[in-house]
Amino acid sequence: MATATPAAETEVKEEEQVVNPWEVSAGKGGIDYDKLVDQFGCQRIDAALVDRIARLTARPPHRFLRRGLFFAHRDLSEVLDLYERGEKFYLYTGRGPSSEALHLGHLIPFMFTKYLQDAFKVPLVIQLTDDEKFLWKNLTVEECKRLARENAKDIIACGFDVERTFIFSDFEFVGGKFYENMVKISKCVTCNKAVGIFGFSPEDPIGKYSFPPVQAAPSFPSSFPHLFGGNNQLRCLIPCAIDQGENTKMSASDPNSAIYVTDTPKEIKNKVNRYAFSGGQDSIELHRKLGANLDVDVPIKYLNFFLEDDDELERIKTEYKEGRMLTGEVKQRLVEVLSGMVARHQRARAQVTEEMVDAFMAARPLPNMFG
C-alpha cells in the first residue's frame, strides 16, 4: 500500500494544529506541511520523482504534481519500481457522502485520481462511506444512501472510465471477503491504539471505534475477489488529501462562502469578490508601490490549484506581487477559471443517468481494467 499524500490516520497537535480523519484546524499560520511530513513518516514528492512519473507514463505530470500540491508520499517509489518492472497496481480513494453536492475541495482528490487512472491505465475502487456519515452525522440510513448515489454522480462526472472503475457503498457492498479483512484488521488494533490514533472518547458510540477497519479494508486486493480474483499481492496506491486549514472567510465549512459544483456564475463571482481574502494593499496608490502579499492571497491560492497554464499563472503572480495587477483583476480571472470549470462539470453531471450509476456500482469483473 502507498499513499500520495499523508494518510489521514493520526492526530497532530502542535501550535494548535490538529489533523485527523474528521477534523483539520491550524494555528495562525495555517497548516505546517513540513511538520505533517515529519509526523506521518512521509517523504517529499521531489522533482526527481515527478520527472520519473512523467517518464513512466509518457505524459506531462498533472499541475498538482508540478506545483507541489500533492506534496508527500509513503512507499510511492516502491510502487513505481514494481510498475517499471511490468507489475500493476490499483487505486483506492473515497468520499463520505454528507451533502447534496461537492465543493471544489472535494473535487481535488478525484481530479488527481482521474489523472493517475488515465496515466497509468490501472483500475480504481471508490468507497462511499455512507455508514460513516450515519455514525458521525445526524442523518438517517436512507438519507446517507441517497446522498451516496448523488455524490456518485458528481464523481462519475469527473470522467472516470467505467471499464476500470468500481464505486461501492458500504451499506450495499460490505460483506464476504471484505468483512473478513475488516475483522482481521480489527483484531490488530486495541482500544488504546484507536484512542491514541483517532482521538475517540468514552462518550463516542462504539460504531466509531469499529469504523477505521472499514476504510482500511479496500487497500487489500483480497477485499475485491470479483475484481482481482486471488491476486492478493497487488499493491494499492491511495491518493488522499487534507483540508487546507486556511484561516480565511472562504471556508468549506461555510456554504455561503465555499464554492460548490452547483453554483451559478453569479454565485461564484459574488463569493470570490466577497469572501476571497486579498493580499493586496488598502489603496491603489499603496498597492502600486508595495504590491500584493501572495502568501496570504486566497485568489492566488485558488489559481494555483485550478489554472492550468503555468506561464499565465507565473505572469499573474509576478504582475500582482509587483503592484502592476490589481486585486480586482486577479479575482476576475479567478471567476473566469472557476465558472468555466464548474460549468463543464455541470454539463458532464447532467449526462449521468441512474443507469450509469448502477453500472459503476455493479459488483462485476473488469476484464479490461489493465488494458
Side-chain angles (χ1 to χ4, degrees):
M1 180 176 68
T3 56
T5 60
E9 57 189 21
T10 190
E11 182 175 80
V12 181
K13 286 188 177 180
E14 193 165 338
E15 295 183 3
E16 302 177 45
Q17 178 167 298
V18 177
V19 178
N20 63 41
W22 304 283
E23 178 188 358
V24 176
S25 62
K28 293 181 180 179
I31 293 294
D32 187 325
Y33 294 103
D34 289 324
K35 289 178 182 176
L36 278 188
V37 171
D38 232 18
Q39 294 284 345
F40 286 97
C42 299
Q43 296 82 46
R44 281 279 183 177
I45 296 178
D46 57 18
L49 194 56
V50 174
D51 289 343
R52 187 183 183 195
I53 291 171
R55 176 175 58 81
L56 288 175
T57 61
R59 65 168 61 199
H62 196 279
R63 64 180 180 274
F64 293 166
L65 285 174
R66 301 196 305 266
R67 297 171 189 169
L69 300 175
F70 275 75
F71 60 93
H73 72 97
R74 294 174 67 176
D75 301 326
L76 177 58
S77 298
E78 292 182 26
V79 171
L80 296 180
D81 289 344
L82 293 169
Y83 185 82
E84 196 162 21
R85 294 200 296 266
E87 298 184 38
K88 300 295 185 178
F89 62 90
Y90 73 100
L91 298 163
Y92 156 44
T93 193
R95 161 77 184 141
S98 60
S99 60
E100 191 81 31
L102 278 60
H103 61 64
L104 296 189
H106 294 143
L107 277 188
I108 288 170
F110 291 110
M111 294 167 67
F112 188 59
T113 301
K114 182 189 182 307
Y115 153 76
L116 292 173
Q117 183 183 60
D118 292 345
F120 288 99
K121 297 179 175 59
V122 290
L124 162 67
V125 295
I126 299 175
Q127 182 181 39
L128 300 176
T129 55
D130 41 12
D131 51 345
E132 175 195 18
K133 294 311 171 185
F134 173 72
L135 290 169
W136 264 265
K137 303 288 185 179
N138 186 26
L139 297 169
T140 65
V141 169
E142 291 72 25
E143 179 66 359
C144 291
K145 292 169 72 172
R146 186 188 72 81
L147 291 174
R149 285 187 68 89
E150 289 303 307
N151 284 190
K153 294 173 185 176
D154 277 314
I155 293 168
I156 292 167
C158 292
F160 292 107
D161 184 349
V162 70
E163 294 190 353
R164 291 196 176 100
T165 306
F166 173 50
I167 302 175
F168 67 97
S169 144
D170 284 346
F171 275 135
E172 298 293 337
F173 180 73
V174 171
K177 293 294 183 181
F178 195 104
Y179 182 68
E180 284 183 23
N181 281 336
M182 284 170 48
V183 173
K184 290 176 183 177
I185 295 165
S186 298
K187 194 172 182 179
C188 296
V189 182
T190 65
C191 283
N192 284 337
K193 284 182 181 178
V195 169
I197 293 171
F198 299 104
F200 296 135
S201 72
E203 289 74 33
D204 281 319
I206 60 173
K208 290 187 178 183
Y209 282 80
S210 63
F211 185 75
V214 184
Q215 283 191 305
S219 60
F220 295 91
S222 56
S223 297
F224 306 101
H226 67 284
L227 294 179
F228 305 122
N231 185 5
N232 295 341
Q233 301 305 310
L234 196 64
R235 299 296 291 268
C236 176
L237 178 65
I238 307 170
C240 59
I242 65 167
D243 291 335
Q244 295 306 298
E246 299 290 348
N247 292 308
T248 67
K249 293 180 180 179
M250 209 166 181
S251 168
S253 62
D254 181 1
N256 295 316
S257 63
I259 294 176
Y260 285 81
V261 295
T262 52
D263 283 350
T264 65
K266 183 178 179 179
E267 288 171 327
I268 293 172
K269 182 178 181 180
N270 177 63
K271 289 178 179 181
V272 169
N273 287 335
R274 187 173 180 182
Y275 296 106
F277 183 82
S278 168
Q281 304 300 328
D282 293 335
S283 68
I284 293 179
E285 181 182 12
L286 201 59
H287 184 81
R288 296 294 190 197
K289 180 180 179 181
L290 301 177
N293 180 357
L294 302 188
D295 291 335
V296 300
D297 194 89
V298 171
I300 288 294
K301 294 178 188 294
Y302 267 71
L303 286 171
N304 202 37
F305 274 91
F306 298 115
L307 179 60
E308 176 62 32
D309 191 311
D310 291 338
D311 292 336
E312 183 185 2
L313 178 64
E314 288 308 309
R315 180 186 63 79
I316 290 172
K317 286 181 176 179
T318 300
E319 295 291 298
Y320 192 34
K321 184 177 182 179
E322 296 181 1
R324 293 187 294 271
M325 195 170 188
L326 301 176
T327 296
E329 296 173 284
V330 177
K331 288 190 172 184
Q332 180 181 350
R333 183 64 183 118
L334 176 60
V335 169
E336 293 169 356
V337 170
L338 297 185
S339 296
M341 185 179 73
V342 169
R344 289 191 296 273
H345 182 88
Q346 290 172 355
R347 289 194 295 269
R349 193 189 192 281
Q351 301 300 312
V352 179
T353 64
E354 294 294 339
E355 289 75 20
M356 289 174 66
V357 176
D358 291 339
F360 273 90
M361 297 185 74
R364 78 281 184 201
L366 299 176
N368 299 315
M369 60 185 177
F370 290 116

